[in-house]
Amino acid sequence: MKREAVNPASMYDTLKFNFSHAVESEGGHLLHLAGQVAVDAEGNLVGEGDLSLQTRKVCENLKEVLASRNAGPGNVVRIRIYVADHEPSKLEIIEPVIGEFFGEVVPAASTLIGVQALAMPGFLIEIEATAVLD
């Protein structure tokens, strides 16, 4: 699998916000991950009222789904982040956790969308992803 982040020097630096302008990939199959929320294996909400804890649990759930296909953050080419009642100050909470998710991997292309509410009361964030598998 080939995965190359595209961040033109002529454009603003997105890496400091933990995303890339684009990701070019080839080979392999696509894995489309449904939006993950902060729910544990028993279906319980994790981190009620705490955006940081919920973002961490969402990233753990993304990693779990990826691992089920022998993949990880390095396979992810795109994420979409949905934040309930979004305001710019929430970026300071979300961005570092997304950075931890990608670790040493140059982050994927990303879009953050502020929404009025998510599927269930208490959900503060939902992240969906697309990954390319070997």
Side-chain angles (χ1 to χ4, degrees), residues 2 13 25-26 41-42 51 58 71 87 98 107 123 128 133:
K2 175 187 169 194
D13 180 13
S25 65
E26 72 178 52
E42 289 76 40
L51 182 57
V58 166
E87 57 186 51
I98 299 299
F123 291 170
E128 62 181 58
L133 307 179

Short mmCIF file of all heavy atoms in Angstrom, two decimals, residues 2 13 25-26 41-42 51 58 71 87 98 107 123 128 133:
data_model
loop_
_atom_site.label_atom_id
_atom_site.label_comp_id
_atom_site.label_asym_id
_atom_site.label_seq_id
_atom_site.Cartn_x
_atom_site.Cartn_y
_atom_site.Cartn_z
N LYS A 2 0.53 2.18 -0.82
CA LYS A 2 1.23 3.46 -0.85
C LYS A 2 0.31 4.50 -0.21
O LYS A 2 -0.88 4.56 -0.51
CB LYS A 2 1.54 3.87 -2.29
CG LYS A 2 2.15 5.24 -2.41
CD LYS A 2 2.27 5.67 -3.86
CE LYS A 2 2.64 7.13 -3.93
NZ LYS A 2 2.47 7.70 -5.25
N ASP A 13 0.15 25.71 6.85
CA ASP A 13 0.63 24.52 7.53
C ASP A 13 -0.50 23.86 8.32
O ASP A 13 -0.88 24.33 9.39
CB ASP A 13 1.78 24.87 8.47
CG ASP A 13 2.32 23.68 9.21
OD1 ASP A 13 2.00 22.52 8.85
OD2 ASP A 13 3.08 23.89 10.17
N SER A 25 -3.15 7.71 -2.24
CA SER A 25 -2.94 6.30 -1.93
C SER A 25 -3.17 5.47 -3.18
O SER A 25 -3.85 5.89 -4.10
CB SER A 25 -3.88 5.86 -0.81
OG SER A 25 -5.22 5.92 -1.23
N GLU A 26 -2.59 4.28 -3.16
CA GLU A 26 -2.84 3.33 -4.24
C GLU A 26 -2.69 1.93 -3.70
O GLU A 26 -2.04 1.70 -2.67
CB GLU A 26 -1.91 3.57 -5.43
CG GLU A 26 -0.48 3.18 -5.22
CD GLU A 26 0.36 3.40 -6.47
OE1 GLU A 26 0.33 4.50 -7.04
OE2 GLU A 26 1.06 2.45 -6.86
N ALA A 41 -17.40 -1.63 25.00
CA ALA A 41 -17.86 -2.90 24.44
C ALA A 41 -19.23 -3.31 24.97
O ALA A 41 -19.95 -4.08 24.32
CB ALA A 41 -16.84 -4.00 24.73
N GLU A 42 -19.60 -2.81 26.14
CA GLU A 42 -20.91 -3.13 26.71
C GLU A 42 -21.99 -2.13 26.29
O GLU A 42 -23.14 -2.22 26.73
CB GLU A 42 -20.84 -3.18 28.24
CG GLU A 42 -20.07 -4.38 28.79
CD GLU A 42 -18.56 -4.21 28.66
OE1 GLU A 42 -18.05 -3.09 28.87
OE2 GLU A 42 -17.90 -5.21 28.31
N LEU A 51 -15.29 16.13 26.63
CA LEU A 51 -14.90 16.02 25.23
C LEU A 51 -13.56 15.32 25.06
O LEU A 51 -13.38 14.52 24.14
CB LEU A 51 -14.89 17.40 24.57
CG LEU A 51 -14.54 17.44 23.08
CD1 LEU A 51 -15.49 16.58 22.25
CD2 LEU A 51 -14.54 18.89 22.58
N VAL A 58 -13.17 7.46 21.29
CA VAL A 58 -13.45 7.36 19.86
C VAL A 58 -12.20 6.88 19.12
O VAL A 58 -12.28 5.97 18.29
CB VAL A 58 -13.95 8.71 19.30
CG1 VAL A 58 -13.92 8.72 17.78
CG2 VAL A 58 -15.34 9.02 19.83
N ALA A 71 -4.66 -3.38 10.45
CA ALA A 71 -4.34 -2.03 10.00
C ALA A 71 -4.19 -1.13 11.21
O ALA A 71 -4.44 -1.53 12.35
CB ALA A 71 -5.43 -1.51 9.06
N GLU A 87 -17.62 24.86 18.79
CA GLU A 87 -17.09 26.22 18.86
C GLU A 87 -15.58 26.09 18.78
O GLU A 87 -15.01 25.04 19.13
CB GLU A 87 -17.52 26.92 20.14
CG GLU A 87 -17.12 26.19 21.40
CD GLU A 87 -17.70 26.83 22.65
OE1 GLU A 87 -18.89 27.08 22.70
OE2 GLU A 87 -16.89 27.06 23.57
N ILE A 98 -6.15 13.80 18.46
CA ILE A 98 -6.00 13.33 17.08
C ILE A 98 -4.51 13.16 16.76
O ILE A 98 -4.11 12.19 16.12
CB ILE A 98 -6.68 14.28 16.08
CG1 ILE A 98 -8.19 14.38 16.34
CG2 ILE A 98 -6.40 13.87 14.63
CD1 ILE A 98 -8.96 13.09 16.22
N PRO A 107 -0.53 12.90 9.59
CA PRO A 107 -1.98 12.75 9.68
C PRO A 107 -2.68 12.71 8.33
O PRO A 107 -2.20 13.25 7.34
CB PRO A 107 -2.43 13.99 10.47
CG PRO A 107 -1.22 14.43 11.21
CD PRO A 107 -0.05 14.08 10.34
N PHE A 123 -23.53 12.12 23.34
CA PHE A 123 -22.42 12.00 22.39
C PHE A 123 -21.93 13.40 22.06
O PHE A 123 -22.70 14.25 21.60
CB PHE A 123 -22.84 11.31 21.10
CG PHE A 123 -23.16 9.85 21.22
CD1 PHE A 123 -23.76 9.19 20.16
CD2 PHE A 123 -22.88 9.12 22.35
CE1 PHE A 123 -24.06 7.84 20.22
CE2 PHE A 123 -23.17 7.76 22.44
CZ PHE A 123 -23.76 7.13 21.36
N GLU A 128 -15.51 9.34 11.67
CA GLU A 128 -15.53 8.26 10.68
C GLU A 128 -14.22 8.33 9.90
O GLU A 128 -13.57 9.38 9.86
CB GLU A 128 -16.73 8.35 9.76
CG GLU A 128 -16.80 9.59 8.91
CD GLU A 128 -18.04 9.62 8.03
OE1 GLU A 128 -19.16 9.57 8.56
OE2 GLU A 128 -17.86 9.72 6.81
N LEU A 133 -6.12 -0.71 2.78
CA LEU A 133 -5.49 -1.91 3.32
C LEU A 133 -4.55 -2.50 2.30
O LEU A 133 -4.73 -2.33 1.08
CB LEU A 133 -6.56 -2.93 3.70
CG LEU A 133 -7.66 -2.44 4.63
CD1 LEU A 133 -8.66 -3.56 4.90
CD2 LEU A 133 -7.08 -1.92 5.92
#
